[in-house]
Amino acid sequence: MERIPHGRLATYGQIAELIGAFGCARQVGWALRRLKLPSPVPWHRVVNAHGRISMSLSREGSDWIQRDLLLAEGIPVDTEGCLPLRQFLWHPDAHAGD
């Protein structure tokens, strides 16, 4: 996960595949949710496969923190948590050294 470049996004499923945990996107989400904030891990760059931040009261505001961090990196996010995933999706094979 730490390889996701500034201004790029990955999906929970993409991270699951990268770590060899195929089909475990939900578990990746739960693991990221348990990070202590602030965190050096770029957790905010990971979104769902629909190109949305998972907005929920149970996130206790981390959804809004995620939105603000993505906006600060130049990734547009609306108030519903939707963002242009295709435009900002990280392709690790296409970026040498990523």
Side-chain angles (χ1 to χ4, degrees):
M1 259 200 20
E2 292 160 342
R3 299 182 337 182
I4 305 168
H6 179 92
R8 290 287 173 199
L9 300 167
T11 66
Y12 297 110
Q14 185 180 12
I15 299 302
E17 287 184 30
L18 286 171
I19 64 171
F22 302 99
C24 294
R26 198 167 295 221
Q27 287 81 356
V28 169
W30 281 104
L32 293 178
R33 188 173 177 187
R34 285 173 172 69
L35 287 172
K36 196 169 208 175
L37 299 181
S39 172
V41 176
W43 62 274
H44 62 283
R45 296 180 187 146
V46 185
V47 298
N48 72 30
H50 299 289
R52 294 181 62 115
I53 293 172
S54 299
M55 306 294 273
S56 168
L57 290 175
S58 68
R59 289 192 58 188
E60 300 175 346
S62 66
D63 45 359
W64 291 97
I65 293 170
Q66 183 175 15
R67 181 179 181 274
D68 289 344
L69 290 170
L70 292 173
L71 287 169
E73 290 191 17
I75 299 173
V77 185
D78 69 17
T79 56
E80 302 296 316
C82 296
L83 42 89
L85 180 60
R86 283 188 185 178
Q87 181 181 350
F88 292 93
L89 186 64
W90 173 53
H91 299 282
D93 296 337
H95 298 93
D98 288 350

